Amino acid sequence: MTEFIRKIIPNAKDDVLAGITVSLAMIPEVVAFAFVAQIDPLMALSGAFIIGLITAIFGGRPGLISGAAGAVAVIFVTMIADGHTKGMLMDTPIENMGFFYLMACVVLMGVIQILAGVFKLGRFVRLIPHPVMMGFVNGLSIVIFMAQVKMFSHKSLQISDAGVKEYISTYMQGSELYIMIGLVLLTMGIIWGLPKITKKLPAALTAILVTSLIVIGFNMDVSTVGSYIVEGGGTGLKGEFPTPNMELWEKLPFNLDTLKFIAIPAFLAASVGLIESLMTMNLVDELTETRGNGNRECVAQGAGNIVSGLFGGTGGCGMIGQTVININAGGRGRLSGIMMAVTLLSFILFADQLIEMVPIAALVGVMFMMVIETFAWSSFRILKKIPKSDAVVLITVSLVTVFVDLAVAVFIGVIISALVFAWENATKIRARKRIKADGTKIYEIWGPLFFGSIQAFNEKFDAKNDPQKVEIDFVESRISDHSALEAIFNLVEKYEKEGKQIRLKHLSEDCKVLLYKSSPKFREVVVEDIDDPRYHLAANPEDFPKPLSEYKF
């Protein structure tokens, strides 16, 4: 990951140039994702424009770039194919019905994301541990790198006897491969060296222009944006201004069967989209030392996807590669994202022939530099210095991101981190024991009492051999959840069965309320004190919505 991003005050010039640069890098990525989902590239580009524009204006993180991302596109592949089949089995067969199911799915995806923002679920991204964040960045960098390596190939569309479409990739060889590598290195060299000479020119945009001029000037036969689209089965970059897709309302059956068909893909896409967007937002927060609004970003992502679905576009989310390019190019304000979207639309409407002449090598070079700058190289250095559990989390998240899925990787990383935290804290419960002058045995509890430390807590007591009077002081402990309250309840029961008197001191109001509700006898067991702690219990907050003074026992 980039260790240092120079401080830049948001300004129009940097934002405009950064937006143009990102729009160029956006095209092959979006087109590639369209091929993965087997949809028209213009459908994906329209979605990228709409989602990018809406999130740039209303999102919670200025500088974050959103578009039609591959992490979301992969989820739709099976649904689109099954949708085509469902369409042909209808009473009145409809061709390409999967695309209409896709648009409805994207709309539902957006609704789910808006609900996540309304219920403030975006704040939970702050609970993601740093090793998970580093693993996410490393894994996604590797995924983006592997996607660029595939650009060193040609695709050919083959249709089987059953009518199944399949793209066969053949990697470049000989002089074509050497020229491609040379142009990529030239682009990377310009991006690396130009800032050392002058910072007045945007390095990535300059590199793309120089490489493109060399290819056009020498009439070099290389892979370009135009040839890439045609190889993938597209007809070109030329398109129209997105308008509401009325066919969606005319052909799609709005019934429970349709909802069942799109519900699971919509939920998965919404989850993956929000995780990638919020993780990317976290990365930008770290790089720029500012803070975004996760809940606002959830709502903006949802609104973008709803509009995209209604206008015939595909779903999307925050894109880490394009976001890092934007940040490195000086994009800090909302204008950079707006400029990216507007420029992308302008390419589609007016400059399609010029953009189709841009060599793929130039865009691959930009993405390779982004991968180098994004990858957390420091993770190799710190692996032996951080706790083994954190190192395991970092490596696991990276590998799962590459070989399985981003959302699964983050969930696994958070679960492992939470389990490690629970295990480590479970061993920190302590009990200091002393005898008062009147023979009362005092247990002074130190450390967190929660589901993980209950067994160790119970082992501290000896109900059979303790004296007649026992006092448990929780002044240096914290009762964290309902399992801890159950442990206290069971401990009191054990001492009372032995016919011994037990008293509990320094419990919080929340703990006392729940204990009093469970049994009136706790009114005699719990000792009230003005020094009682006032923290809130993590479990069942609905059980104590009012201050203790308002309850009648």
Side-chain angles (χ1 to χ4, degrees):
M1 196 190 321
T2 305
E3 300 293 342
F4 175 76
I5 297 289
R6 64 189 176 97
K7 292 288 183 181
I8 297 178
I9 299 174
N11 64 82
K13 180 179 78 71
D14 285 343
D15 282 346
V16 168
L17 293 175
I20 295 173
T21 304
V22 173
S23 64
L24 288 168
M26 178 76 78
I27 292 173
E29 293 291 305
V30 172
V31 170
F33 299 151
F35 293 157
V36 169
Q38 295 186 9
I39 62 176
D40 188 340
L42 289 173
M43 188 177 184
L45 290 168
S46 296
F49 158 69
I50 295 169
I51 296 168
L53 181 64
I54 291 177
T55 55
I57 296 174
F58 302 107
R61 173 68 267 177
L64 189 151
I65 302 297
S66 297
V72 174
V74 171
I75 295 172
F76 297 138
V77 175
T78 303
M79 187 203 68
I80 293 173
D82 292 344
H84 290 331
T85 303
K86 281 176 69 71
M88 297 308 295
L89 295 176
M90 290 180 175
D91 295 335
T92 303
I94 301 175
E95 291 186 3
N96 299 323
M97 191 65 186
F99 297 141
F100 298 106
Y101 281 115
L102 169 63
M103 288 182 278
C105 186
V106 171
V107 172
L108 181 58
M109 166 189 173
V111 171
I112 295 171
Q113 291 178 326
I114 288 179
L115 290 175
V118 170
F119 289 104
K120 301 187 183 303
L121 300 183
R123 62 187 174 184
F124 288 108
V125 74
R126 304 294 176 188
L127 299 177
I128 296 176
H130 190 66
V132 176
M133 184 68 190
M134 293 184 75
F136 156 80
V137 170
N138 288 352
L140 215 53
S141 296
I142 295 171
V143 170
I144 294 173
F145 173 80
M146 292 167 63
Q148 302 314 304
V149 171
K150 293 179 181 177
M151 297 291 186
F152 288 79
S153 66
H154 292 293
K155 294 182 179 66
S156 58
L157 178 62
Q158 294 186 359
I159 302 177
S160 66
D161 296 336
V164 178
K165 294 181 179 179
E166 184 180 6
Y167 290 95
I168 304 298
S169 295
T170 305
Y171 280 93
M172 300 176 182
Q173 296 180 350
S175 59
E176 183 185 23
L177 176 62
Y178 301 141
I179 292 173
M180 178 78 169
I181 293 173
L183 293 173
V184 169
L185 293 176
L186 172 64
T187 304
M188 296 174 68
I190 295 173
I191 296 174
W192 175 80
L194 186 60
K196 301 180 185 301
I197 301 173
T198 177
K199 293 182 179 179
K200 293 183 178 181
L201 296 174
L205 182 58
T206 302
I208 293 172
L209 291 174
V210 170
T211 306
S212 299
L213 289 173
I214 290 175
V215 169
I216 296 171
F218 288 93
N219 195 26
M220 302 173 70
D221 184 17
V222 297
S223 181
T224 63
V225 171
S227 67
Y228 182 78
I229 294 175
V230 172
E231 284 179 6
T235 57
L237 196 61
K238 182 67 175 178
E240 300 176 351
F241 191 88
T243 55
N245 194 305
M246 301 309 297
E247 283 188 283
L248 173 66
W249 308 103
E250 297 171 357
K251 295 186 177 181
L252 187 69
F254 291 93
N255 51 38
L256 186 60
D257 180 65
T258 297
L259 180 61
K260 289 180 179 179
F261 183 70
I262 66 174
I264 294 178
F267 177 78
L268 293 175
S271 302
V272 170
L274 286 185
I275 289 174
E276 184 162 354
S277 298
L278 294 175
M279 294 285 277
T280 303
M281 186 190 77
N282 249 11
L283 175 62
V284 178
D285 288 353
E286 289 185 12
L287 294 177
T288 61
E289 296 182 2
T290 56
R291 182 161 180 156
N293 186 324
N295 296 318
R296 181 174 176 179
E297 187 63 35
C298 289
V299 174
Q301 292 285 339
N305 279 302
I306 289 175
V307 176
S308 177
L310 293 175
F311 278 66
T314 187
C317 62
M319 302 178 72
I320 187 172
Q322 280 65 26
T323 298
V324 171
I325 291 173
N326 183 52
I327 296 299
N328 287 335
R332 293 293 184 276
R334 296 186 182 278
L335 182 59
S336 61
I338 295 171
M339 193 65 194
M340 182 283 297
V342 173
T343 305
L344 187 62
L345 180 64
S346 300
F347 291 158
I348 297 171
L349 297 178
F350 311 114
D352 54 297
Q353 293 183 347
L354 291 176
I355 301 306
E356 287 176 2
M357 296 168 66
V358 174
I360 288 292
L363 304 177
V364 170
V366 172
M367 296 304 292
F368 274 163
M369 288 301 293
M370 181 280 302
V371 168
I372 293 172
E373 293 168 349
T374 304
F375 192 90
W377 300 102
S378 60
S379 57
F380 293 115
R381 186 178 68 252
I382 66 174
L383 273 178
K384 294 183 179 180
K385 301 178 181 179
I386 61 177
K388 290 182 179 179
S389 58
D390 286 347
V392 169
V393 169
L394 195 161
I395 296 171
T396 300
V397 172
S398 299
L399 293 176
V400 176
T401 299
V402 173
F403 295 107
V404 185
D405 179 70
L406 165 66
V408 174
V410 173
F411 282 129
I412 289 176
V414 171
I415 290 171
I416 294 175
S417 298
L419 290 175
V420 170
F421 175 81
W423 176 261
E424 291 179 348
N425 279 272
T427 63
K428 293 181 179 178
I429 193 81
R430 296 286 186 274
R432 302 187 189 98
K433 304 170 187 177
R434 60 186 176 88
I435 305 294
K436 291 174 67 174
D438 63 356
T440 301
K441 187 173 183 179
I442 308 296
Y443 287 90
E444 293 179 351
I445 306 302
W446 178 90
L449 182 58
F450 66 110
F451 68 91
S453 60
I454 289 173
Q455 183 176 349
F457 171 75
N458 289 330
E459 292 173 354
K460 308 296 180 187
F461 303 95
D462 187 358
K464 288 186 178 181
N465 299 317
D466 276 348
Q468 194 65 27
K469 293 183 178 181
V470 175
E471 186 177 290
I472 306 176
D473 192 340
F474 292 92
V475 68
E476 294 185 48
S477 180
R478 184 183 179 100
I479 313 303
S480 300
D481 58 15
H482 195 71
S483 297
L485 285 173
E486 284 294 316
I488 294 173
F489 183 87
N490 293 333
L491 185 65
V492 171
E493 289 279 304
K494 186 182 297 184
Y495 273 97
E496 288 184 342
K497 285 181 179 179
E498 295 292 334
K500 297 176 180 179
Q501 184 186 84
I502 183 170
R503 293 290 181 268
L504 308 176
K505 292 183 64 176
H506 294 117
L507 291 171
S508 75
E509 283 194 357
D510 297 348
C511 299
K512 286 185 276 190
V513 168
L514 288 179
L515 287 173
Y516 296 162
K517 278 187 173 184
S518 65
S519 176
K521 71 181 178 184
F522 279 100
R523 292 290 295 174
E524 300 176 1
V525 174
V526 175
V527 179
E528 300 280 356
D529 197 305
I530 59 172
D531 294 330
D532 286 341
R534 298 185 177 275
Y535 58 80
H536 288 288
L537 194 65
N540 301 325
E542 67 277 3
D543 289 338
F544 42 88
K546 298 181 293 184
L548 181 63
S549 58
E550 297 184 25
Y551 286 92
K552 295 180 181 180
F553 301 99

